């Protein structure tokens, strides 16, 4: 008898976000930019895969996320969405592709959902983008907000700096988060925010907060996968390195080079005799 086909896992969807918050079950999110890693993360049980515009500084050798284009996001999102069976795929709207108007935001989001297969989109900003969130939500596109340190605005924020420090800034962050949730956002990412401020937002928000450098009180956590897996020599303070994949890959590559040069590879088992 042949083996039964492997069961397709149930897709993680927007109602699971709310349910996780209600039950106090922490959400897991990781960035992914290609099919190879997306398949690994999906099979490992990550709830949400973020095709982040951090593809710019992590994969495309830019200094920041700012140069990333919509076309680049479409290519990366399509690769991730094609192999993902369970995780919700969230695609970032890159700098310059949504800020000008709800209509511009809608046009970009439609490309990522329709051409690339994203299940939701994420963009950076607060109260002033509530109309954008509202239009996308009404159009059937779930939106994840992004507050705190917003990398696309690093030029105006004066670099990578913790946001929401001080009473006034904290109040503004809470108001922004509430405005996004009122407009229909299904979750809000909080990046580089003091833990007590993130806790305040998490307490008042009806939808989950997903933290990155925002302490352990958020409803979920997100990391850039290369930081999580130790691909580079440096990771930000808020990331834990769960592996040293960069070093392991370097060692494997050095061994391969050595074997080829010594004619130790390919061996007979890798060779067609006829
Ligand atoms: O693009 C990205 O990786 C992100 C995370 C930092 C949340 O937006």
């Amino acid at each position: 008898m042949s083996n039964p086909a492997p069961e397709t896992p149930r897709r993680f969807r927007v109602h699971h976000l709310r349910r996780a918050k209600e039950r106090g079950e922490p959400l897991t999110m990781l960035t992914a930019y290609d099919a190879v890693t997306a398949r690994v993360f999906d099979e490992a049980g990550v709830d949400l895969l973020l095709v982040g515009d951090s593809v710019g500084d992590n994969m495309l050798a830019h200094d920041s996320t700012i140069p990333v284009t919509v076309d680049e996001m479409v290519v990366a999102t399509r690769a991730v969405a094609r192999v993902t069976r369970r995780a919700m795929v969230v695609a970032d709207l890159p700098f310059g592709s949504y800020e000008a108007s709800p209509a511009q935001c809608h046009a970009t989001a439609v490309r990522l959902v329709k051409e690339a297969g994203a299940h939701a989109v994420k963009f950076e900003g607060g109260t002033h983008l509530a109309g954008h969130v509202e239009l996308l939500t009404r159009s059937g596109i779930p939106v994840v907000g992004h507050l705190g340190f917003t990398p696309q605005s690093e030029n105006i924020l004066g670099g990578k700096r913790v946001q929401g420090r001080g009473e006034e800034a904290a109040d503004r962050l809470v108001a922004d988060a509430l405005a996004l949730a009122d407009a229909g956002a299904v979750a809000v990412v909080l990046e580089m925010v003091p833990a007590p401020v993130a806790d305040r937002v998490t307490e008042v928000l009806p939808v989950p907060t997903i933290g990155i450098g925002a302490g352990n009180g958020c409803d979920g956590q997100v990391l850039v996968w290369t930081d999580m897996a130790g691909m580079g020599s440096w990771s930000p303070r808020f990331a834990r390195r769960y592996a040293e994949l960069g070093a392991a890959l370097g060692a494997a590559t050095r061994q391969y080079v050595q074997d080829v040069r010594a004619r130790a590879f390919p061996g007979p088992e890798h060779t067609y005799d006829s």
Side-chain angles (χ1 to χ4, degrees):
M1 213 165 83
S2 61
N3 286 336
E7 231 177 84
T8 304
R10 277 184 54 212
R11 179 72 67 183
F12 190 90
R13 293 181 179 277
V14 285
H15 59 278
H16 297 121
L17 287 169
R18 238 173 227 269
R19 196 171 71 187
K21 181 164 180 113
E22 281 161 18
R23 293 181 177 176
E25 293 167 356
L27 293 157
T28 57
M29 186 188 223
L30 210 52
T31 64
Y33 314 108
D34 61 64
V36 175
T37 52
R39 186 177 274 126
V40 172
F41 303 151
D42 188 47
E43 288 176 3
V46 174
D47 300 317
L48 301 110
L49 287 181
L50 171 64
V51 188
D53 57 353
S54 53
V55 66
D57 38 345
N58 285 280
M59 296 289 146
L60 303 179
H62 292 305
D63 287 342
S64 74
T65 62
I66 290 171
V68 174
T69 66
V70 178
D71 287 343
E72 286 166 341
M73 290 304 300
V74 167
V75 170
T77 303
R78 192 182 280 146
V80 170
R82 274 186 181 152
V83 298
T84 303
R85 284 154 38 101
R86 175 182 173 271
M88 177 190 288
V89 176
V90 182
D92 260 341
L93 304 193
F95 178 68
S97 74
Y98 63 94
E99 301 90 329
S101 66
Q104 185 200 25
C105 185
H106 180 261
T108 306
V110 165
R111 281 200 67 191
L112 286 160
V113 172
K114 197 166 176 170
E115 287 177 41
H119 305 119
V121 300
K122 173 169 86 56
F123 49 87
E124 301 177 4
T127 309
H128 65 293
L129 297 183
H132 298 49
V133 176
E134 221 169 87
L135 175 61
L136 265 57
T137 305
R138 271 196 280 118
S139 308
I141 302 173
V143 176
V144 175
H146 185 154
L147 296 171
F149 174 64
T150 44
Q152 294 173 11
S153 303
E154 69 162 70
N155 289 326
I156 211 152
L157 295 174
K160 274 195 168 82
R161 302 158 73 106
V162 174
Q163 301 294 312
R165 281 192 167 133
E167 206 173 321
E168 205 181 305
D171 288 349
R172 218 170 27 241
L173 197 73
V174 172
D176 279 336
L178 284 171
L180 294 176
D182 282 351
V186 296
V188 176
V189 166
L190 298 176
E191 179 165 357
M192 290 178 72
V193 171
V197 179
D199 291 352
R200 237 184 97 189
V201 176
T202 302
E203 205 172 298
V204 299
L205 220 58
V207 297
T209 56
I210 303 178
I212 174 163
N216 203 6
C218 290
D219 297 304
Q221 296 293 325
V222 55
L223 282 178
V224 170
W225 84 259
T226 46
D227 295 336
M228 180 279 297
M231 277 300 285
S233 53
W234 177 88
S235 294
R237 181 184 152 199
F238 54 71
R240 179 177 289 164
R241 295 169 74 93
Y242 284 87
E244 293 299 332
L245 279 200
L249 195 55
T253 308
R254 281 189 295 278
Q255 187 64 55
Y256 166 71
V257 168
Q258 192 180 312
D259 283 0
V260 170
R261 288 182 178 154
R263 295 201 182 279
F265 174 83
E269 70 276 31
H270 310 116
T271 303
Y272 305 103
D273 289 329
S274 58

